[in-house]
Structures are given as structure tokens and as C-alpha cells.
Amino acid sequence: MSALQPSHLLSTRDLRDSDLQTLFKATKKFKCQSSPALLSGKTIVQCFIENSTRTRSSFETAVRRLGGTNLGFSASTSSLKKGESLLDTAQNIQALGADAIVLRHSENGAAHLLARALDVSIINAGDGTHEHPSQALLDAFTLLEALGSLKGKRVLILGDILHSRVARSNFHLLKSLGAKVTVCAPGTLLPPSVQTLGVSVASRLEDALAETDVVMALRVQLERHATPLLPSLAEYARFWGLGAQRLRLLKKGALLLHPGPVNWGVELMPEAKTFDGNLILQQVENGVYMRMAILGWLLNPEGMRKNV
Ligand code: CP
């Protein structure tokens, strides 16, 4: 690979404007044309050491559509269960002939660790509470598709910001695309000094909803709450959940995102399913095309230049 060609996707912070243009252009193209065999002869390992539905399935689908091979890996039946370390596991996967590892892991920095130690491309599919760059990229693509541009648009990120890798990857990417990002959450679910990440904090949800162009609701990640941070989910739903009354506060044409999985009745009430601006399933659909773009960009940049 040339010095200018990235080898890994670890964080949205690493993406240059030219990378973003390539990824968005390729995603759009893959959505409306037959898929080129950009990954012919390439082997990609889906190394998910934390549960996933959308991310894993869409990376697997993206590999197949581009003519590559998915090497099966199941954390629960792997030698991780016998105590083999992540690094040893990954080095052995590399020795088996992998060209890329798509890694989801519960520890912050796991993808960076492998990127430093291995010669294969590492794609961060979510590391702890740190980053989930492919999710932020598909979120941004979905918004660009709907709005044309994010310059000056107000995006409200609502919910469990403290534990959200999706929020962290989105903060940087949305700002670099010109959006103004605000967060709103119970105090216990806001990281200390979150403003230093370049976002504003809304003190009253109802006021923030009335001003926003896009609201991105986040899952309450109870499994990461080491100590109780909320009195109850029912109370969260009452004060922070988006139901008919709060959705009515949004401007006409406002959009609703959620990275999934949704806790229906907690972050979103059933009325959100039929809300006009609900793009949640478009996010999932676009996730396949964005992940095709990411794989082609990392593993076959020359093919991407010819086909996109
Ligand atoms: N958005 C997301 O990461 O979903 P999964 O956990 O199902 O992959």
C-alpha cells in the first residue's frame, strides 16, 4: 500500500476529507450498480468477541457481494475460551492467510493493539465505549442522502452518551461535515467534561428537540453500568424516551436515527416506528453499502479508483 493509503479503520478521527469523499461516493455507487469483484482472492475474518446483529451481518454480506471469502470465527467455540489471548488469536488468524480482521471487542483500544502488532488490515467494529467508526460513517451517509449536506444542521445525540462508542465516533465525523452537535442525557450518563469533545450540552430535552434537525437516540447500555446509574428504565422512559408527545416537538422534516438494537419502550416508544422521519432501517440497509466501500477502500484501492 502507498504511504497515503490507510491500512486500517480504527477511528473517525483518522479520516481525511479525501477518504470521506471516496467512502461516500463508493457507498452511493454500490447502492445503485452491480457489485464489482473487488475482494476476489481476499479473506476477511469476522472476529466478533462481543455480540452483534447488524454490524457482523453487514460486513459478512459486504464481503460476499464483493467476491471475497469470510473466514468463520466464533468467539464462543474458539481457543479464547481456553485462555488464548486476543493477540495470539489474531497472530494465528494472520498466519492462516487473512487479509483483514473485522474486530469487535469489549475493551477500549483492542483494535489499535492489533493494528500495531499485525500486518493485516484491522477494521474496528466497536471497541468498548471508545469508537464504532463504520457506524458513524453509515449514519453520516444516511443523513447526507436525506439532507444533501450537513453544513449548519443541528444534530441532537440523546441518551447513554457515557457508554456510547457510536456517539464518540459521530462527534468528530459530524463536526467535520459541518454539523452542530448537542448532547442531552441524565447527568449520570454524560461523560465528565463532554464539552471538551466539541459538543454542547442541552439542559432541557424539550427545548433541544424543538431546535434540532436530526435526533439520534442511543441505547441505554445497562450491561456496561457497573453500578446503577438510573433509578429505573421506566423512569428513563418517562423523562428521556421519545414518544408521540416529544416527537411532536420536532421541526417538520426532522429525522430520527438509532444505531440499534433499540430498547422499545425505553429510548423509543412504539409511535416512533411510524414517525415520518424514522430512518432506522435505512441506516441498516446503508450499512451494507458503506461496509462494501470500507473493505474496497482498504483492501483494493486501485480497484476502487477504477470502479468508483
Ligand atoms: N449498531 C450496532 O453496532 O448494532 P450491532 O450491535 O447489532 O452490530
Side-chain angles (χ1 to χ4, degrees), residues 51-55 104 132 135 259-261:
N51 293 349
S52 166
T53 296
R54 284 146 287 267
T55 312
R104 170 164 292 187
H132 192 349
Q135 177 71 43

Side-chain angles (χ1 to χ4, degrees), residues 8 12 69 81 131 199 205 242 264 272 277:
H8 312 289
T12 52
T69 301
K81 289 286 175 196
E131 284 236 24
V199 299
L205 174 59
L242 294 180
W264 289 103

